[in-house]
Amino acid sequence: MPQPGPGRGTTAGRMLDLLRANGTLSRVELAERTGLTPATVTHTVRRLIGAGLVDEIGPGRRRGRGQPRRLLELNADAWYAVGIQVDRTTTTIVVLDFAGERIAGVGLRGSGSGGPEATVAALAEHVSELLRGSGVPVERVLGAGLVTHGPQDRERGVLLTAQPAPEWLEFPLTDALAERLGVPVLLENDATAAAFGEQWAGALPTDTFGLVYMASGVGGAVVVDGENYRGRASNAVEIGHVALNGGNASCVCGNRGCAQAEAGPHAVVERALADDGLAARLGVRGTPDHTLGDFERIAKAWRSGDADAEAILECSARWIGRAAVTLVNLFDLDTVVLAGPAFATAGELYRARIAAELEERALSRALSRPQVRLSASTETAAALGGALHVLRAMPIDPEPPAATPEGAQ
Ligand SMILES: [Zn+2]
């Protein structure tokens, strides 16, 4: 069993975060950036080196007079973490090493209409295969971040929604997956995880931004000073369920006119299906498990110049733009990131339309021009964020990697 160790927020956890983000740092730089005393830094670094989590890698550049400073870096092979994003139409799995480098990944079909039992079994099999293929022993896996739509009860590891089917409501998702994988599993909201992933991989010029996540549904996240705004129970910023003026479509949440109901991939596909000739021309089928596949067909038609496909996507993008205006006005943002598989094919159209809506309507436009950016990893940001959350939050067994039993490889 992992012992309580340098989880997030502890002195050691903050140092590990800094080393993960910066690659290499000296003890002096760690002291400068944490505000801790040199004695505390020296003591903690000794403990981290002893636990096999940090390596000392020779001298850095001399700064002024005195000895060159010895640099520290994370021992990338000390631990690994798995990130699993799953919804009805897509699954993405990534494996990160302790330094946060992606060492393996795979994109698969979503849960479809299979129930949670079958989905968890399939996920466990895919994860085990990926770990085997990349030579990572499960004993060195710190945990898995399971990323999916909300609302969720993260503490109990269950979904508080009957989406995509009634048997998902209150199913013990993290317990069932942890039992099959043999590692702890943390539940995380897909948009929140994508914001983590974007902070890590996206080279954003700011640490305060909003994020709109579009997969089968529409979600949102807000990061303030580098921290995700979580609300009371981490179900914050459900921008897909903000009712929009003029909207009337009934939504799975019980309201009418929600952004997700008016503009999500399902609504886009429905709009194409309303015209038999158009649906046939674009090859849109309308089966619920293939919503994103149908959405991609419409997006591809737009890319090849189809005016009808463009009109349908423009309509969706305008609604999402208005939801983004609400997001920006509520949280005083100047940057909105778009992430999620739906933006992989139609991202540029959405980016331009959402930017236009913000430039026209967001209150903050008077101060600075709102920026809308496509995620650096539209399809994988959420899975990346799930794995990073594990690296940052999970208590770590202080035993050094050398203690791995022989033959565990
Ligand atoms: Zn709703």
Side-chain angles (χ1 to χ4, degrees), residues 240-242 251-256 258-261:
H241 296 288
V242 169
C251 182
V252 289
C253 73
N255 288 337
R256 299 187 82 87
C258 293
Q260 175 172 307

Side-chain angles (χ1 to χ4, degrees), residues 2 8 25 42 57 60 105 116 134 147 149 152-153 177 259 297 299 377:
R8 191 160 188 212
L25 290 172
T42 300
I57 54 154
S134 46
V147 174
H149 56 278
Q152 311 173 339
D153 184 334
L177 186 58
R297 282 187 192 91
S377 39

Side-chain angles (χ1 to χ4, degrees), residues 3-387:
Q3 301 296 311
R8 191 160 188 212
T10 62
T11 300
R14 282 163 65 200
M15 290 191 195
L16 294 176
D17 274 352
L18 280 168
L19 287 168
R20 191 170 290 121
N22 291 280
T24 58
L25 290 172
S26 68
R27 287 170 179 76
V28 173
E29 286 166 325
L30 277 172
E32 281 168 1
R33 295 183 192 209
T34 55
L36 295 163
T37 63
T40 302
V41 168
T42 300
H43 171 76
T44 309
V45 165
R46 191 180 304 132
R47 194 157 65 81
L48 292 174
I49 290 176
L53 302 177
V54 167
D55 291 330
E56 196 159 48
I57 54 154
R61 265 209 317 252
R62 189 190 297 263
R63 213 168 66 174
R65 300 172 68 183
Q67 291 295 313
R69 290 159 179 176
R70 285 169 296 170
L71 291 176
L72 304 163
E73 71 175 10
L74 294 187
N75 173 9
D77 297 327
W79 290 99
Y80 298 86
V82 179
I84 307 162
Q85 172 272 321
V86 63
D87 73 5
R88 186 166 187 165
T89 51
T90 55
T91 298
T92 304
I93 305 174
V94 297
V95 180
L96 301 187
D97 67 20
F98 194 55
E101 283 295 314
R102 176 182 155 143
I103 60 165
V106 65
L108 301 155
R109 289 177 57 166
S111 64
S113 43
E117 299 256 14
T119 300
V120 163
L123 289 177
E125 219 163 277
H126 290 308
V127 169
S128 300
E129 205 173 298
L130 202 57
L131 292 175
R132 263 197 309 276
S134 46
V136 173
V138 75
E139 292 78 10
R140 298 316 309 171
V141 176
L142 201 50
L146 179 63
V147 174
T148 189
H149 56 278
Q152 311 173 339
D153 184 334
R154 290 174 70 230
E155 259 176 49
R156 292 191 297 129
V158 301
L159 292 184
L160 301 176
T161 169
Q163 298 300 320
E167 61 265 35
W168 287 80
L169 176 65
E170 295 274 350
F171 179 85
L173 271 180
T174 53
D175 285 351
L177 186 58
E179 194 175 315
R180 284 184 182 269
L181 287 177
V183 302
V185 177
L186 302 179
L187 188 62
E188 186 61 275
N189 174 278
D190 46 16
T192 303
F196 267 142
E198 187 62 18
Q199 267 182 296
W200 177 247
L204 282 173
T206 173
D207 62 359
T208 296
F209 63 95
L211 182 137
V212 176
Y213 186 81
M214 192 153 82
S216 300
V218 179
V222 165
V223 173
V224 179
D225 295 335
E227 294 290 330
N228 257 298
Y229 174 75
R230 285 195 175 276
R232 179 178 55 87
S234 290
N235 289 307
V237 201
E238 283 289 4
I239 198 69
H241 296 288
V242 169
L244 298 171
N245 192 18
N248 191 41
S250 56
C251 182
V252 289
C253 73
N255 288 337
R256 299 187 82 87
C258 293
Q260 175 172 307
E262 296 292 349
H266 182 69
V268 169
V269 170
E270 286 292 306
R271 218 157 274 145
L273 287 170
D275 178 339
D276 288 345
L278 178 65
R281 192 173 87 231
L282 303 183
V284 170
R285 292 179 290 174
T287 40
D289 295 349
H290 297 101
T291 299
L292 270 185
D294 280 342
F295 180 86
E296 270 173 31
R297 282 187 192 91
I298 298 166
K300 278 184 186 149
W302 158 67
R303 294 178 83 95
S304 16
D306 189 302
D308 294 325
E310 178 168 332
I312 289 173
L313 291 173
E314 277 278 344
C315 173
S316 160
R318 259 197 307 276
W319 285 113
I320 300 286
R322 289 164 62 178
V325 170
T326 300
L327 182 68
V328 161
N329 284 355
L330 273 176
F331 290 94
D332 184 21
L333 305 167
D334 68 358
T335 302
V336 174
V337 175
L338 309 180
F343 292 124
T345 39
E348 187 43 45
L349 180 147
Y350 278 86
R351 197 206 60 73
R353 172 51 60 190
I354 293 167
E357 290 287 326
L358 288 174
E359 282 167 29
E360 201 177 320
R361 299 174 205 270
L363 291 172
S364 60
R365 69 185 187 277
L367 187 64
S368 61
R369 189 175 177 202
Q371 303 291 315
V372 183
R373 303 165 65 107
L374 276 177
S375 163
S377 39
T378 39
E379 287 187 87
T380 55
L384 276 176

